[in-house]
Amino acid sequence: MTRSFSNQTFRFAPSSNGLLHLGHAYSAALNFDLAQSTGGRMLLRIENIDVERCRPEFEQAIYDDLRWLGLSWELPPRRQSEHFADYANALERLRALGVAYPCFCSRGEIMAAVACKPDWPRDPDGSPLYPGLCKHLSPSERARRLAGGRSAAMRIDMAAALAHVGFQLDWLERSPSGAGASRRPATPAIWGDAIIARRDIKTSYHIAVVTDDALQGVTDVVRGEDLYMATHLHRLLQTLLDLPAPTYRHHRLLRDASGQKLSKSLRAKSLRALRQEGLSPQAARESLKVEATAAS
Ligand code: GLU
């Protein structure tokens, strides 16, 4: 294991719901190189709370692909599916603060509630902000529904959460090269009463990521700019849960020849396929360095 001589800790946190592509390799290598150049720690986290879509063979492929690229990390990696109790604790703390409430709505009910309101505000992902249907249910009505076997998601009560915090949140954003840094104001209200625990898995990406970054002592979150907007919500959750604020670097996303960002859902060519076509790890790392130079 590499000996650390700084107190910086980096992590690469892929979801094991598909094969990695060059965009993941870019993010992983950026984290690894930053850990090396600062003498910091490099961690790997398998984000597999979505037990339906995440599979052991994808997890194995993550290890194989990253090793093929010549990357290394501290062992063992943290596997989120082994830590649901930590996420339940975080959720319980939010509930005890009075900033979370159960929501029984289906997607259809939410869409129907906003259907004739074309100007209804939307969150950064394009979904309508939650219209608050379950927000004012009485405690007895909530208890009645839960006792009747209705499953519920949990939502953050954004107004209550912001009132509880009581000051303007922000975060320190560095450029991926580390050269420039600026404080960015966090405006979590853009997400409205976001879901913080899905009804099926009883947690969410947001809860799991802030909990794990804190438990693992992550000081530097280096990830794709597609997660930039989520950082607004993460800073709120970190503050409510008394967790330290990491420094963030949101790097640009790799695109294919047609300008489309590489993504699993759009079936970007996997590292495994590139490897089978004869790409060498050296050539892969070289092409990522070219990307990094172009980005800085
Ligand atoms: N698991 C997320 C993904 O694969 C990344 C989470 C993060 O870096 O915060 O997109």
Side-chain angles (χ1 to χ4, degrees):
M1 193 186 299
T2 322
R3 252 177 38 135
S4 303
F5 53 89
S6 84
N7 52 9
Q8 279 172 273
T9 299
F10 297 82
R11 71 0 178 229
F12 177 56
S15 302
S16 50
N17 59 3
L19 293 172
L20 301 186
H21 51 63
L22 268 176
H24 297 109
Y26 177 58
S27 198
L30 196 55
N31 273 286
F32 178 81
D33 291 345
L34 280 163
Q36 293 263 297
S37 65
T38 60
R41 301 170 63 200
M42 174 66 194
L43 309 179
L44 175 65
R45 185 164 75 227
I46 304 296
E47 300 217 323
N48 59 354
I49 54 170
D50 193 336
V51 286
E52 290 282 298
R53 293 171 64 218
C54 293
R55 299 210 223 118
E57 58 269 32
F58 291 138
E59 182 176 334
Q60 187 56 50
I62 291 172
Y63 303 138
D64 295 345
D65 288 344
L66 296 180
R67 281 200 201 101
W68 172 78
L69 276 168
L71 308 186
S72 55
W73 53 91
E74 289 183 18
L75 295 173
R78 183 171 170 95
R79 303 177 66 244
Q80 289 191 324
S81 57
E82 293 167 0
H83 300 282
F84 279 106
D86 290 330
Y87 314 138
N89 280 342
L91 207 64
E92 189 42 49
R93 287 188 64 187
L94 296 176
R95 207 195 319 244
L97 287 177
V99 298
Y101 63 90
C103 172
F104 301 89
C105 292
S106 66
R107 195 182 296 264
E109 283 167 323
I110 296 172
M111 293 319 258
V114 302
C116 45
K117 298 173 178 149
D119 296 331
W120 191 260
R122 291 181 176 262
D123 72 20
D125 288 342
S127 300
L129 293 194
Y130 181 61
L133 304 171
C134 288
K135 185 167 171 167
H136 301 294
L137 292 179
S138 65
S140 60
E141 178 57 17
R142 279 180 188 151
R144 194 187 66 77
R145 292 190 188 192
L146 290 169
R150 300 244 334 243
S151 63
M154 290 294 288
R155 290 185 180 273
I156 187 104
D157 181 336
M158 186 55 73
L162 291 175
H164 182 86
V165 170
F167 58 89
Q168 171 67 55
L169 295 167
D170 66 3
W171 77 83
L172 185 65
E173 178 81 23
R174 286 191 193 284
S175 69
S177 66
S182 62
R183 294 214 76 85
R184 307 283 167 93
T187 52
I190 53 176
W191 290 99
D193 286 4
I195 288 193
I196 49 173
R198 281 164 39 179
R199 74 176 72 211
D200 54 346
I201 55 172
K202 308 295 178 208
T203 187
S204 62
Y205 157 65
H206 303 299
I207 289 288
V209 82
V210 298
T211 301
D212 284 349
D213 283 339
L215 284 175
Q216 294 189 283
V218 171
T219 58
D220 292 73
V221 172
V222 180
R223 61 185 179 191
E225 64 190 8
D226 52 338
L227 291 168
Y228 184 90
M229 298 308 272
T231 310
H232 292 270
L233 189 53
H234 296 174
R235 287 294 301 118
L236 175 63
L237 295 174
Q238 286 158 351
T239 308
L240 291 166
L241 293 166
D242 284 326
L243 305 177
T247 293
Y248 289 89
R249 289 175 180 80
H250 291 95
H251 61 73
R252 68 190 192 119
L253 301 176
L254 262 52
R255 293 179 186 274
D256 63 20
S258 66
Q260 187 79 259
K261 73 173 190 187
L262 299 185
S263 93
K264 282 178 195 162
S265 53
L266 294 172
R267 303 204 179 284
K269 194 174 273 190
S270 67
L271 289 176
R272 180 184 285 181
L274 290 167
R275 190 158 89 208
Q276 281 162 0
E277 284 172 12
L279 181 72
S280 72
Q282 294 75 14
R285 291 294 303 273
E286 266 322 302
S287 73
L288 298 174
K289 279 200 192 112
V290 172
E291 288 289 341
T293 314
S296 59

